[in-house]
Amino acid sequence: AQSVSQHNHHVILSEAASLELGCNYSYGGTVNLFWYVQYPGQHLQLLLKYFSGDPLVKGIKGFEAEFIKSKFSFNLRKPSVQWSDTAEYFCAVRGSGSARQLTFGSGTQLTVLP
Amino acid sequence: EPEVTQTPSHQVTQMGQEVILRCVPISNHLYFYWYRQILGQKVEFLVSFYNNEISEKSEIFDDRFSVERPDGSNFTLKIRSTKLEDSAMYFCASSRERNTGELFFGEGSRLTVL
Protein backbone atom coordinates (compact mmCIF):
# COMPACT_ATOMS: atom_id res chain seq x y z
CA ALA A 1 0.00 0.00 0.00
CA GLN A 2 1.09 3.55 -0.60
CA SER A 3 1.86 6.12 2.06
CA VAL A 4 2.47 9.85 2.11
CA SER A 5 4.67 11.88 4.42
CA GLN A 6 4.43 15.59 4.99
CA HIS A 7 7.23 16.56 7.29
CA ASN A 8 6.16 20.10 8.08
CA HIS A 9 3.20 20.18 10.44
CA HIS A 10 3.01 23.96 10.76
CA VAL A 11 4.73 26.58 8.67
CA ILE A 12 4.59 30.28 9.50
CA LEU A 13 5.63 32.82 6.88
CA SER A 14 5.36 36.52 6.30
CA GLU A 15 3.62 37.83 3.22
CA ALA A 16 5.77 37.81 0.09
CA ALA A 17 7.98 35.03 1.44
CA SER A 18 8.55 32.00 -0.73
CA LEU A 19 6.93 28.71 0.17
CA GLU A 20 7.96 25.12 -0.23
CA LEU A 21 6.02 22.33 1.44
CA GLY A 22 7.54 18.89 1.37
CA CYS A 23 5.73 15.73 0.31
CA ASN A 24 7.25 12.28 -0.04
CA TYR A 25 5.42 9.14 -0.95
CA SER A 26 6.13 5.47 -1.01
CA TYR A 27 4.70 3.28 -3.73
CA GLY A 28 6.34 0.91 -6.13
CA GLY A 29 4.29 1.60 -9.22
CA THR A 30 2.90 4.44 -11.27
CA VAL A 31 1.33 7.14 -9.15
CA ASN A 32 -0.92 10.09 -9.55
CA LEU A 33 -0.11 12.94 -7.17
CA PHE A 34 -2.26 15.72 -5.81
CA TRP A 35 -2.23 18.70 -3.54
CA TYR A 36 -5.49 19.64 -1.85
CA VAL A 37 -6.06 22.77 0.20
CA GLN A 38 -8.54 23.43 2.96
CA TYR A 39 -9.15 27.08 3.79
CA PRO A 40 -10.55 27.85 7.25
CA GLY A 41 -14.15 26.70 7.47
CA GLN A 42 -14.22 25.39 3.93
CA HIS A 43 -14.06 22.06 2.17
CA LEU A 44 -11.02 20.33 0.72
CA GLN A 45 -10.39 21.52 -2.81
CA LEU A 46 -7.95 20.46 -5.47
CA LEU A 47 -4.95 22.74 -5.88
CA LEU A 48 -3.10 20.82 -8.56
CA LYS A 49 -2.44 17.32 -9.82
CA TYR A 50 0.17 15.30 -11.66
CA PHE A 51 -0.71 12.32 -13.84
CA SER A 52 2.03 12.18 -16.47
CA GLY A 53 4.15 14.35 -18.74
CA ASP A 54 5.86 17.53 -17.58
CA PRO A 55 6.87 16.91 -13.97
CA LEU A 56 6.40 20.59 -13.16
CA VAL A 57 2.71 21.24 -12.79
CA LYS A 58 0.98 24.51 -12.21
CA GLY A 59 -2.17 24.90 -10.23
CA ILE A 60 -4.51 27.61 -9.12
CA LYS A 61 -3.49 30.76 -7.28
CA GLY A 62 0.13 30.68 -8.42
CA PHE A 63 1.00 27.34 -6.86
CA GLU A 64 3.17 24.78 -8.58
CA ALA A 65 4.62 21.40 -7.71
CA GLU A 66 7.43 19.33 -9.07
CA PHE A 67 7.38 15.56 -9.30
CA ILE A 68 10.85 14.12 -8.78
CA LYS A 69 10.52 10.41 -9.34
CA SER A 70 14.00 9.55 -8.09
CA LYS A 71 13.24 11.22 -4.77
CA PHE A 72 9.63 10.06 -4.53
CA SER A 73 8.76 13.68 -3.90
CA PHE A 74 6.07 16.12 -4.96
CA ASN A 75 6.86 19.38 -3.21
CA LEU A 76 4.51 22.33 -3.39
CA ARG A 77 5.91 25.77 -4.09
CA LYS A 78 4.79 29.34 -4.40
CA PRO A 79 7.24 32.20 -4.98
CA SER A 80 5.36 34.80 -2.95
CA VAL A 81 2.64 33.90 -0.45
CA GLN A 82 -0.30 36.05 0.53
CA TRP A 83 -2.25 36.26 3.75
CA SER A 84 -5.14 34.56 1.93
CA ASP A 85 -2.99 31.45 1.45
CA THR A 86 -3.41 30.64 5.13
CA ALA A 87 -4.87 27.15 5.04
CA GLU A 88 -4.10 23.49 5.55
CA TYR A 89 -2.39 21.75 2.65
CA PHE A 90 -2.68 18.04 2.00
CA CYS A 91 -0.56 15.98 -0.33
CA ALA A 92 -2.24 12.85 -1.70
CA VAL A 93 -1.25 9.92 -3.84
CA ARG A 94 -3.19 7.39 -5.83
CA GLY A 95 -1.71 4.16 -7.08
CA SER A 96 -3.29 1.42 -9.09
CA GLY A 97 -5.15 -1.79 -8.41
CA SER A 98 -5.78 -2.22 -4.71
CA ALA A 99 -3.99 1.10 -4.10
CA ARG A 100 -6.38 3.00 -6.31
CA GLN A 101 -7.92 5.15 -3.61
CA LEU A 102 -6.50 8.48 -2.56
CA THR A 103 -4.11 8.29 0.35
CA PHE A 104 -3.53 11.56 2.14
CA GLY A 105 -0.63 12.93 4.08
CA SER A 106 -1.17 14.34 7.54
CA GLY A 107 -1.36 17.91 6.26
CA THR A 108 0.65 21.07 6.74
CA GLN A 109 -0.92 24.10 8.36
CA LEU A 110 0.36 27.25 6.66
CA THR A 111 -0.05 30.54 8.47
CA VAL A 112 0.84 33.68 6.56
CA LEU A 113 1.34 36.78 8.68
CA PRO A 114 0.26 40.09 7.17
CA GLU B 1 -20.17 26.46 -8.82
CA PRO B 2 -21.74 23.10 -7.94
CA GLU B 3 -20.67 21.67 -4.63
CA VAL B 4 -21.06 18.70 -2.37
CA THR B 5 -23.22 19.43 0.65
CA GLN B 6 -23.27 17.53 3.92
CA THR B 7 -25.63 17.45 6.86
CA PRO B 8 -25.50 17.73 9.76
CA SER B 9 -22.42 19.84 10.28
CA HIS B 10 -22.09 18.45 13.80
CA GLN B 11 -23.71 15.39 15.36
CA VAL B 12 -23.36 14.42 18.98
CA THR B 13 -24.48 10.95 19.99
CA GLN B 14 -24.22 8.50 22.83
CA MET B 15 -22.06 5.43 22.46
CA GLY B 16 -24.05 2.55 21.07
CA GLN B 17 -26.49 4.71 19.15
CA GLU B 18 -26.92 4.81 15.41
CA VAL B 19 -26.10 7.85 13.31
CA ILE B 20 -26.76 8.74 9.71
CA LEU B 21 -24.64 11.29 7.93
CA ARG B 22 -26.07 12.70 4.74
CA CYS B 23 -24.46 13.98 1.59
CA VAL B 24 -25.72 15.46 -1.63
CA PRO B 25 -23.04 14.91 -4.28
CA ILE B 26 -22.64 17.04 -7.37
CA SER B 27 -25.51 16.15 -9.65
CA ASN B 28 -23.69 14.75 -12.70
CA HIS B 29 -21.13 12.81 -10.68
CA LEU B 30 -21.28 9.03 -10.64
CA TYR B 31 -18.71 8.03 -8.02
CA PHE B 32 -19.15 8.71 -4.35
CA TYR B 33 -16.84 8.40 -1.39
CA TRP B 34 -16.62 8.75 2.35
CA TYR B 35 -13.43 9.71 4.11
CA ARG B 36 -12.85 10.51 7.74
CA GLN B 37 -10.32 12.44 9.76
CA ILE B 38 -9.84 11.76 13.41
CA LEU B 39 -8.62 14.89 15.17
CA GLY B 40 -4.91 15.32 14.62
CA GLN B 41 -4.66 12.41 12.23
CA LYS B 42 -4.70 11.85 8.49
CA VAL B 43 -7.68 11.92 6.19
CA GLU B 44 -8.51 8.23 5.69
CA PHE B 45 -10.48 6.48 2.98
CA LEU B 46 -13.57 4.61 4.13
CA VAL B 47 -15.56 3.55 1.09
CA SER B 48 -16.29 4.23 -2.56
CA PHE B 49 -19.66 3.67 -4.20
CA TYR B 50 -20.72 3.39 -7.80
CA ASN B 51 -23.78 2.13 -9.58
CA ASN B 52 -25.57 1.50 -6.31
CA GLU B 53 -22.95 -0.72 -4.83
CA ILE B 54 -19.74 -0.49 -2.89
CA SER B 55 -16.70 -0.46 -5.15
CA GLU B 56 -14.03 -0.55 -2.48
CA LYS B 57 -13.82 -0.23 1.26
CA SER B 58 -11.05 0.05 3.77
CA GLU B 59 -10.52 -2.01 6.88
CA ILE B 60 -12.01 0.85 8.88
CA PHE B 61 -15.36 0.23 7.17
CA ASP B 62 -16.43 -2.69 9.31
CA ASP B 63 -19.89 -4.24 9.48
CA ARG B 64 -21.20 -1.38 11.64
CA PHE B 65 -20.85 0.92 8.65
CA SER B 66 -23.12 1.02 5.64
CA VAL B 67 -23.75 3.35 2.75
CA GLU B 68 -26.80 3.91 0.69
CA ARG B 69 -28.07 6.03 -2.12
CA PRO B 70 -31.76 5.98 -1.24
CA ASP B 71 -32.82 8.32 -4.03
CA GLY B 72 -31.28 10.12 -6.96
CA SER B 73 -29.58 12.77 -4.90
CA ASN B 74 -28.64 11.66 -1.39
CA PHE B 75 -25.72 9.49 -0.38
CA THR B 76 -25.74 8.42 3.25
CA LEU B 77 -23.30 6.89 5.69
CA LYS B 78 -24.83 4.96 8.56
CA ILE B 79 -22.88 3.91 11.60
CA ARG B 80 -24.56 1.46 13.96
CA SER B 81 -23.53 0.83 17.55
CA THR B 82 -21.24 3.83 17.60
CA LYS B 83 -18.00 3.71 19.53
CA LEU B 84 -15.94 6.45 21.08
CA GLU B 85 -13.30 5.92 18.41
CA ASP B 86 -15.82 6.77 15.69
CA SER B 87 -15.53 10.42 16.72
CA ALA B 88 -14.11 12.19 13.69
CA MET B 89 -14.84 14.55 10.86
CA TYR B 90 -16.52 12.63 8.04
CA PHE B 91 -16.07 13.94 4.52
CA CYS B 92 -18.23 13.02 1.59
CA ALA B 93 -16.77 13.37 -1.90
CA SER B 94 -17.87 12.76 -5.44
CA SER B 95 -16.21 12.55 -8.82
CA ARG B 96 -17.35 12.41 -12.41
CA GLU B 97 -14.82 9.79 -13.41
CA ARG B 98 -13.40 6.87 -11.54
CA ASN B 99 -9.69 7.12 -11.94
CA THR B 100 -9.00 10.81 -12.14
CA GLY B 101 -8.62 11.12 -8.40
CA GLU B 102 -10.11 14.59 -8.75
CA LEU B 103 -12.55 14.42 -5.91
CA PHE B 104 -14.87 17.20 -4.88
CA PHE B 105 -15.34 17.27 -1.14
CA GLY B 106 -18.07 18.49 1.15
CA GLU B 107 -17.34 20.56 4.22
CA GLY B 108 -17.59 17.60 6.50
CA SER B 109 -19.79 16.37 9.31
CA ARG B 110 -18.24 16.30 12.73
CA LEU B 111 -19.33 13.27 14.74
CA THR B 112 -18.80 13.27 18.48
CA VAL B 113 -19.53 10.04 20.32
CA LEU B 114 -19.88 10.39 24.09
Side-chain angles (χ1 to χ4, degrees):
Chain A
Q2 68 267 39
S3 65
V4 181
S5 296
Q6 292 181 246
H7 304 295
N8 310 108
H9 296 295
H10 194 180
V11 173
I12 302 174
L13 295 172
S14 298
E15 276 195 314
S18 64
L19 169 72
E20 181 160 4
L21 301 182
C23 173
N24 288 92
Y25 68 93
S26 64
Y27 183 69
T30 301
V31 292
N32 302 142
L33 296 157
F34 309 83
W35 276 96
Y36 278 83
V37 60
Q38 187 173 28
Y39 297 103
Q42 297 187 28
H43 56 275
L44 282 163
Q45 51 188 290
L46 184 68
L47 201 54
L48 48 79
K49 62 184 179 181
Y50 171 79
F51 279 15
S52 64
D54 188 345
L56 183 64
V57 292
K58 295 188 184 300
I60 60 173
K61 304 186 180 184
F63 286 91
E64 64 179 33
E66 184 174 13
F67 170 50
I68 303 179
K69 189 175 181 179
S70 61
K71 295 184 177 179
F72 297 90
S73 69
F74 190 57
N75 293 353
L76 181 71
R77 299 195 294 250
K78 185 171 183 178
S80 176
V81 295
Q82 300 173 312
W83 176 78
S84 57
D85 293 325
T86 294
E88 189 151 20
Y89 293 80
F90 295 90
C91 183
V93 63
R94 187 176 67 84
S96 58
S98 61
R100 192 167 44 211
Q101 296 303 333
L102 275 181
T103 298
F104 285 87
S106 55
T108 298
Q109 175 64 47
L110 171 65
T111 300
V112 180
L113 304 175
Chain B
E1 181 181 320
E3 58 182 26
V4 176
T5 58
Q6 290 186 242
T7 55
S9 56
H10 191 187
Q11 173 89 46
V12 181
T13 190
Q14 294 291 324
M15 188 171 57
Q17 297 297 302
E18 174 182 291
V19 296
I20 297 177
L21 305 179
R22 291 181 169 79
C23 170
V24 179
I26 294 173
S27 61
N28 63 347
H29 286 186
L30 301 176
Y31 301 90
F32 314 114
Y33 312 83
W34 283 101
Y35 284 77
R36 79 170 186 189
Q37 185 179 27
I38 295 172
L39 189 63
Q41 298 186 26
K42 295 184 179 185
V43 177
E44 303 171 291
F45 168 73
L46 292 179
V47 65
S48 61
F49 189 87
Y50 169 70
N51 200 25
N52 284 321
E53 61 182 26
I54 291 174
S55 304
E56 294 178 65
K57 60 182 181 179
S58 71
E59 59 188 23
I60 302 168
F61 196 87
D62 63 31
D63 57 8
R64 298 181 300 112
F65 290 77
S66 61
V67 289
E68 192 178 38
R69 189 158 160 79
D71 53 42
S73 58
N74 290 286
F75 177 52
T76 62
L77 173 68
K78 181 188 293 185
I79 310 174
R80 293 182 289 106
S81 304
T82 50
K83 303 178 180 180
L84 296 177
E85 53 264 39
D86 294 330
S87 295
M89 181 73 87
Y90 288 81
F91 294 102
C92 175
S94 68
S95 66
R96 194 165 48 219
E97 298 170 15
R98 183 176 188 181
N99 294 322
T100 64
E102 187 166 353
L103 273 56
F104 292 79
F105 286 85
E107 292 187 2
S109 293
R110 180 169 297 286
L111 174 64
T112 301
V113 182
L114 303 176

